[in-house]
Amino acid sequence: MKISARNVVEGTVEGVEEGAVMANVKIKIESPDVITAIITKESIKDLDIKVGDTVKAIIKSTEVMIAKE
Amino acid sequence: MKISARNVVEGTVEGVEEGAVMANVKIKIESPDVITAIITKESIKDLDIKVGDTVKAIIKSTEVMIAKE
Amino acid sequence: MKISARNVVEGTVEGVEEGAVMANVKIKIESPDVITAIITKESIKDLDIKVGDTVKAIIKSTEVMIAKE
Amino acid sequence: MKISARNVVEGTVEGVEEGAVMANVKIKIESPDVITAIITKESIKDLDIKVGDTVKAIIKSTEVMIAKE
Amino acid sequence: MKISARNVVEGTVEGVEEGAVMANVKIKIESPDVITAIITKESIKDLDIKVGDTVKAIIKSTEVMIAKE
Amino acid sequence: MKISARNVVEGTVEGVEEGAVMANVKIKIESPDVITAIITKESIKDLDIKVGDTVKAIIKSTEVMIAKE
């Protein structure tokens, strides 16, 4: 299956912090970069996301901003 | 200035393709990864974004999804 | 591959209108509903999206709003 | 009032799960489809959203991705 | 009709610039502030948005970031 | 540093309500308008956001919808 989202980066889950509804997942993409994803706690369970998993972070290109000095 | 967006990645602009209203910017973060950002043509002009510029890609963590095999 | 996005709806492409950078894709999910997706022209080419294709519309749950009379 | 969001789907609330700040709302659009919306708990109160309500799910078209086998 | 989006600001359209698929709309909320909205050209036609119209800019609170010096 | 996000509005924090993962921040932009931002609790700590702070609300223009009577 291919997805229209232009940004797909593989990494390893290094932290999952759950709230009542949402969860904060830290994905290490390569030292020292870490991507933060806020997803539902429901997805955490459905995909069984846990520390050490290899996952893909997916970001639609319309969501990316650019900053310049 | 600090921003609440959790994902800020530095890279180099390697392509800018402009339409009438929007523009597609390719940011090389490190070989071979490239981030795609769709921003307004207006921002391209305002920030004077061109190939070779060092920029930061900024992504709010609520916009990041996760996929797992 | 499973994705954290909670909303995945299968449908048929019934229209693709391309601009220079973005494209407007109409996906018929079931008569008479049609979902509109604005994605990059680049994705249209990469996934070879054309009228009649069976595709999935994917929407992260944090992007859904609710209105009530 | 008309809204620029291209995707407006009517359905029935079949579940509301509240956290401290956010809430997960399940909207049945037609058997067997359910749309998941993550909205503020504040909106749940302001709109008085409860199971059995007829509501509209609203999604801006730039937030819709497409996947294809 | 009430919407779950927490940010609804009334203003006046002071500019509409159309591309093939998307359009850039400038909404004056009060001197000297202007909000920029990128919406489909299709919505411009459907809502008949033109300079001088009184409109509401609507923003889901999960899309708002915060910066601090 | 300049950012591609077209909407940057200065205001004063008048409320911070924290959940386990997310936080709801109220930013008074000028009487009587208040902007609601849902950001991570992590950002609240990292930027040390508290009532009375002068902050900027930042919104990418692709996230702004328009409604018209």
Side-chain angles (χ1 to χ4, degrees), chain C:
Chain C
M1 197 182 74
K2 293 186 78 172
I3 192 164
S4 63
R6 295 292 82 194
N7 302 295
V8 180
V9 186
E10 196 170 87
T12 307
V13 176
E14 62 168 38
V16 178
E17 186 192 348
E18 293 191 11
V21 171
M22 302 304 280
N24 183 327
V25 181
K26 296 296 181 187
I27 304 163
K28 192 171 197 169
I29 50 170
E30 64 185 47
S31 187
D33 280 326
V34 170
I35 285 181
T36 302
I38 297 293
I39 64 174
T40 58
K41 200 165 125 178
E42 190 183 309
S43 296
I44 296 286
K45 291 204 174 98
D46 190 25
L47 275 69
D48 187 26
I49 293 171
K50 51 195 181 309
V51 175
D53 282 354
T54 297
V55 297
K56 288 190 173 66
I58 299 178
I59 303 150
K60 194 174 193 292
S61 54
T62 47
E63 305 300 342
V64 182
M65 283 157 291
I66 296 179
K68 190 176 150 183
E69 296 297 331

Side-chain angles (χ1 to χ4, degrees), chain A residues 21, chain C residues 64-68, chain D residues 13-27 36-51 53 55, chain E residues 2-6 60-61, chain F residues 24 26 38:
Chain A
V21 172
Chain C
V64 182
M65 283 157 291
I66 296 179
K68 190 176 150 183
Chain D
V13 176
E14 63 168 36
V16 178
E17 186 192 347
E18 292 192 11
V21 172
M22 302 302 283
N24 182 328
V25 181
K26 298 293 181 187
I27 304 162
T36 302
I38 297 293
I39 64 174
T40 57
K41 201 165 123 176
E42 189 182 310
S43 296
I44 296 286
K45 292 205 175 97
D46 190 25
L47 275 69
D48 186 26
I49 292 172
K50 52 194 181 309
V51 175
D53 281 354
V55 297
Chain E
K2 292 186 78 173
I3 191 164
S4 63
R6 296 292 82 194
K60 193 173 194 291
S61 53
Chain F
N24 183 328
K26 297 294 180 187
I38 297 293

Side-chain angles (χ1 to χ4, degrees), chain A residues 6-7 9 25 27 30 33-39 47-50 53-69, chain B residues 6-7 9 25 27 30 33-39 47-50 53-69:
Chain A
R6 296 293 80 195
N7 302 296
V9 186
V25 181
I27 304 163
E30 64 185 49
D33 281 324
V34 170
I35 285 180
T36 302
I38 297 293
I39 65 174
L47 276 68
D48 187 26
I49 292 172
K50 53 193 180 309
D53 281 353
T54 297
V55 297
K56 287 190 173 66
I58 299 179
I59 303 149
K60 193 173 194 291
S61 54
T62 46
E63 306 300 343
V64 182
M65 283 157 289
I66 297 179
K68 191 177 148 182
E69 295 298 329
Chain B
R6 295 293 82 195
N7 302 295
V9 186
V25 181
I27 303 164
E30 64 184 48
D33 281 327
V34 170
I35 285 181
T36 302
I38 298 292
I39 64 173
L47 275 69
D48 187 24
I49 293 172
K50 52 192 181 309
D53 281 355
T54 297
V55 297
K56 287 190 174 66
I58 299 178
I59 303 151
K60 195 172 192 294
S61 54
T62 46
E63 305 300 342
V64 182
M65 283 156 291
I66 296 180
K68 191 177 149 183
E69 296 298 332

Side-chain angles (χ1 to χ4, degrees), chain B residues 18-30:
Chain B
E18 292 190 12
V21 172
M22 302 303 281
N24 182 327
V25 181
K26 297 294 181 187
I27 303 164
K28 192 170 197 169
I29 51 171
E30 64 184 48

